[in-house]
Amino acid sequence: MALNVVVTATGPLFTLVEAKEHLRVDHNDDDALIEVYSDAAVGRVLQYCNINLVPDSPGATAAFKAAALLALGELYQNREPILTDGSPISNLINPYRWLRV
């Protein structure tokens, strides 16, 4: 299984190996979970900027990669739902929420 979110002209923002290094995971038991969280983290970073691809510059790639890895760490570490403002749940689904007027 591979990371699904393509965010640069050449492919994913980071690999599963890089994600596991960031999380300090040295086993394969959570690979599928890490891939799901990686895709969600990268998607959230892109949604925050309202773009589909990372801008094509070394500085932007590094910044987006760092932000996505930090978001991944938050998702992986806090697997229980947190129902307060700024929680991983609301941060991930706010862009899809329908507001009634």
Side-chain angles (χ1 to χ4, degrees):
M1 190 178 234
L3 298 176
N4 296 320
V5 176
V6 175
V7 296
T8 67
T10 58
L13 190 55
F14 53 84
T15 65
L16 177 61
V17 171
E18 291 172 313
K20 289 172 71 173
E21 285 175 2
H22 175 74
L23 298 172
R24 295 186 174 104
V25 172
D26 60 359
H27 56 80
N28 298 329
D29 297 344
D30 289 345
D31 283 5
L33 180 66
I34 292 169
E35 288 176 351
V36 168
Y37 285 170
S38 294
D39 288 345
V42 171
R44 182 60 189 121
V45 170
L46 292 173
Q47 288 169 357
Y48 179 80
C49 294
N50 199 25
I51 58 176
N52 294 323
L53 294 173
V54 173
D56 188 21
S57 74
T61 301
F64 276 80
K65 182 176 183 174
L69 286 170
L70 289 172
L72 167 62
E74 180 69 23
L75 288 170
Y76 187 76
Q77 182 177 6
N78 299 311
R79 299 182 198 185
E80 298 297 322
I82 303 167
L83 300 177
T84 60
D85 288 352
S87 74
I89 294 170
S90 62
N91 284 339
L92 290 169
I93 61 173
N94 269 345
Y96 306 103
R97 202 172 109 190
W98 285 70
L99 299 176
R100 294 182 184 206
V101 212

